[in-house]
């Protein structure tokens, strides 16, 4: 039986409109039941998939949390260890009076004191002590922060937001203020500039002779505990004041007469112009002439007790027109202004014979 009428005949029911309508309604109800059953099965399947995904992501999240917690504790141990090492270094420097810093000079490792180095700048011992106190407070605060951060990662306690952090921040701020105030007071001693000019008489070489300018041999002492600062060298010893060497400059000018001469210009800074001139007069330079050889020390020193006030020394060599001069090795390191008509570089001026012309030095031995 395939059609509705055949199905009624098969069941022995009369084929009429009422029975056909009833049969169609039953078929529709059967299809609706099948559809609902299928939908329920689909819902059950979707619920199982959703539950599986939820359990998967919850497990993955728990795993990630464990990994993050492990990494956090590992970082905490690392920061705690690093902070502990830095704290020990800080304590060793403070307790040793600053002699905990190593420097390398001529492939040798030696110590120098921060206090001794800074004493070359501070004229008031009390200001130096206050600055060092501020420096100690300023540098200990980041180390404590590192330790607190490491402890927080390990213990998960808010140590960076409680009273330890407040105290540490206060120490850092006070240290910074002490450093800024004392440094500002020290810098007031640089506001005025003083200069003195000292002419140096030279024996005039014969007309046909060339003035040989040479660098004094072994001018730079080989001492330990050396610190280079700009164009200066500081030799620091625990039991003595800092010994300072500054690099001198060399200029060459055309003389306004027929005499070869040297002029030494000494400059310094201080709180007043008068004290700046006094500081400039404490600069020690060295020149020596032997026949037609002029020996120069490329470094100048300061009298004992003088503080660093940006002192400077300039040798100006005046050469008359028609006179000859030759610069030996090492002099080019002193050059700041040596005009020549060939526009040679400074290191190219060495070991050539130069004649002072109308517009500057003219090379007489250069191969063209």
């Amino acid at each position: 039986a395939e059609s509705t009428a055949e199905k009624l005949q098969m069941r022995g029911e009369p084929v009429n409109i009422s029975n056909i309508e009833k049969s169609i309604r039953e078929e529709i109800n059967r299809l609706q039941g099948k559809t609902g059953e299928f939908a329920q099965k689909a819902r059950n399947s979707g619920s199982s998939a959703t539950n599986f995904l939820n359990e998967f992501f919850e497990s993955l999240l728990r795993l990630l949390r464990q990994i993050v917690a492990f990494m956090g504790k590992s970082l905490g141990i690392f920061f705690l260890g690093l902070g502990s090492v830095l704290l020990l270094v800080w304590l060793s420097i403070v307790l040793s009076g600053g002699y905990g810093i190593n420097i390398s000079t001529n492939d040798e490792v030696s110590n120098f004191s921060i206090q001794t180095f800074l004493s070359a700048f501070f004229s008031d011992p009390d200001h130096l002590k206050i600055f060092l106190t501020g420096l100690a407070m300023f540098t200990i605060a980041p180390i404590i922060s590192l330790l607190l951060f490491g402890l927080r990662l390990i213990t998960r306690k808010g140590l960076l937001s409680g009273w330890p952090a407040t105290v540490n921040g206060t120490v850092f701020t006070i240290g910074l203020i002490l450093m800024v105030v004392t440094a500002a007071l020290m810098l007031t001693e640089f506001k005025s500039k003083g200069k003195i000019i000292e002419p140096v008489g030279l024996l005039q070489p014969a007309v046909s002779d060339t003035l040989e300018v040479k660098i004094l041999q072994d001018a730079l002492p080989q001492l330990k505990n050396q610190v280079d600062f700009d164009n200066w060298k500081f030799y620091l010893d625990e039991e003595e004041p800092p010994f300072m060497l500054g690099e001198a400059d060399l200029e060459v000018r055309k003389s306004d007469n027929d005499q070869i001469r040297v002029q030494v210009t000494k400059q310094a800074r201080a709180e007043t112009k008068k004290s700046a001139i006094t500081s400039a007069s404490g600069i020690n330079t060295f020149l020596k002439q032997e026949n037609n050889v002029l020996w120069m020390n490329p470094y100048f020193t300061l009298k004992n007790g003088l503080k660093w006030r940006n002192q400077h020394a300039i040798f100006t060599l005046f050469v008359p027109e028609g006179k000859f001069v030759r610069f030996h090795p090492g002099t080019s390191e002193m050059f700041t202004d040596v005009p020549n008509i060939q526009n040679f570089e400074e290191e190219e001026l060495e070991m050539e014979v130069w004649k002072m012309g109308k517009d500057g030095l003219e090379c007489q031995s250069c191969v063209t």
Side-chain angles (χ1 to χ4, degrees):
E2 295 182 358
S3 65
T4 303
E6 290 175 346
K7 291 179 180 179
L8 289 173
Q9 291 176 355
M10 181 187 68
R11 292 197 297 266
E13 296 180 0
V15 180
N16 51 38
I17 294 177
S18 177
N19 288 334
I20 292 174
E21 181 183 359
K22 179 180 177 183
S23 180
I24 292 174
R25 191 181 298 110
E26 290 176 352
E27 186 66 22
I28 292 174
N29 292 334
R30 186 182 67 81
L31 291 176
Q32 288 178 345
K34 290 291 185 181
T35 302
E37 182 181 351
F38 177 77
Q40 183 64 35
K41 289 182 178 180
R43 284 194 296 270
N44 293 336
S45 299
S47 178
S48 299
T50 302
N51 293 335
F52 171 76
L53 291 175
N54 289 336
E55 292 178 0
F56 172 77
F57 283 114
E58 287 178 359
S59 300
L60 181 61
L61 184 60
R62 285 194 298 269
L63 178 62
L64 291 176
R65 286 175 178 172
Q66 292 176 356
I67 293 175
V68 170
F70 174 76
M71 293 178 62
K73 290 187 177 181
S74 299
L75 286 175
I77 294 174
F78 170 76
F79 288 132
L80 193 60
L82 178 62
S84 300
V85 172
L86 293 177
L87 181 60
L88 291 176
V89 172
W90 183 88
L91 289 173
S92 66
I93 293 175
V94 172
L95 296 178
S96 64
Y99 277 89
I101 293 184
N102 296 325
I103 57 174
S104 178
T105 57
N106 299 326
D107 299 326
E108 295 182 1
V109 177
S110 54
N111 296 331
F112 80 96
S113 168
I114 299 176
Q115 181 174 349
T116 304
F117 177 68
L118 292 177
S119 66
F121 302 88
F122 284 91
S123 58
D124 190 327
D126 292 332
H127 290 174
L128 176 58
K129 293 178 182 178
I130 295 173
F131 182 88
L132 291 172
T133 301
L135 179 62
M137 298 173 68
F138 181 79
T139 52
I140 190 61
I143 299 176
I144 299 300
S145 295
L146 200 62
L147 293 172
L148 292 177
F149 184 62
L151 289 173
R152 179 180 183 180
L153 291 177
I154 295 174
T155 63
R156 296 182 175 274
K157 294 182 179 181
L159 297 176
L160 289 177
S161 57
W163 66 266
T166 302
V167 173
N168 192 50
T170 303
V171 170
F172 179 85
T173 304
I174 294 175
L176 180 60
I177 292 174
L178 293 178
M179 291 173 59
V180 171
V181 171
T182 50
L185 291 174
M186 184 264 291
L187 291 176
T188 58
E189 300 181 14
F190 286 76
K191 62 182 180 180
S192 297
K193 184 177 181 180
K195 178 173 67 174
I196 60 175
I197 298 176
E198 299 177 350
V200 180
L202 298 179
L203 298 175
Q204 301 301 306
V207 176
S208 60
D209 285 347
T210 299
L211 180 66
E212 308 285 347
V213 181
K214 296 184 178 181
I215 295 298
L216 191 66
Q217 300 298 317
D218 300 325
L220 182 63
Q222 300 299 320
L223 301 177
K224 292 184 178 181
N225 301 339
Q226 173 184 321
V227 178
D228 293 337
F229 177 74
D230 195 17
N231 294 325
W232 287 76
K233 297 181 183 298
F234 294 81
Y235 297 94
L236 308 174
D237 188 274
E238 181 179 1
E239 300 177 354
E240 298 179 2
F243 174 65
M244 293 173 278
L245 286 178
E247 296 179 3
D249 293 333
L250 174 60
E251 300 176 347
V252 179
R253 294 282 187 270
K254 181 180 177 181
S255 178
D256 55 1
N257 54 41
D258 61 350
Q259 299 293 309
I260 294 179
R261 68 185 193 276
V262 174
Q263 176 181 287
V264 182
T265 303
K266 301 178 180 180
Q267 302 174 350
R269 288 189 170 274
E271 188 172 2
T272 63
K273 187 172 183 179
K274 182 179 179 180
S275 57
I277 293 175
T278 302
S279 180
S281 64
I283 296 175
N284 298 318
T285 58
F286 178 85
L287 286 173
K288 182 177 69 172
Q289 184 183 13
E290 295 178 347
N291 297 321
N292 65 329
V293 177
L294 178 62
W295 294 96
M296 308 184 74
N297 191 332
Y299 297 96
F300 63 90
T301 61
L302 303 179
K303 291 182 178 178
N304 291 336
L306 282 182
K307 303 300 180 179
W308 186 88
R309 291 298 179 264
N310 197 24
Q311 291 90 343
H312 199 45
I314 304 172
F315 295 107
T316 304
L317 176 63
F318 292 93
V319 182
E321 186 174 348
K323 296 289 186 177
F324 299 89
V325 63
R326 175 161 43 203
F327 303 103
H328 286 253
T331 52
S332 63
E333 297 181 5
M334 298 178 62
F335 290 154
T336 56
D337 187 8
V338 184
N340 61 94
I341 62 175
Q342 285 96 343
N343 293 321
F344 278 25
E345 297 294 333
E346 294 176 349
E347 61 273 9
E348 296 176 323
L349 300 176
E350 294 182 348
M351 297 311 298
E352 303 288 355
V353 177
W354 297 89
K355 178 182 177 181
M356 179 59 72
K358 182 179 180 180
D359 299 319
L361 293 174
E362 302 173 0
C363 187
Q364 304 297 299
S365 60
C366 300
V367 178
T368 57

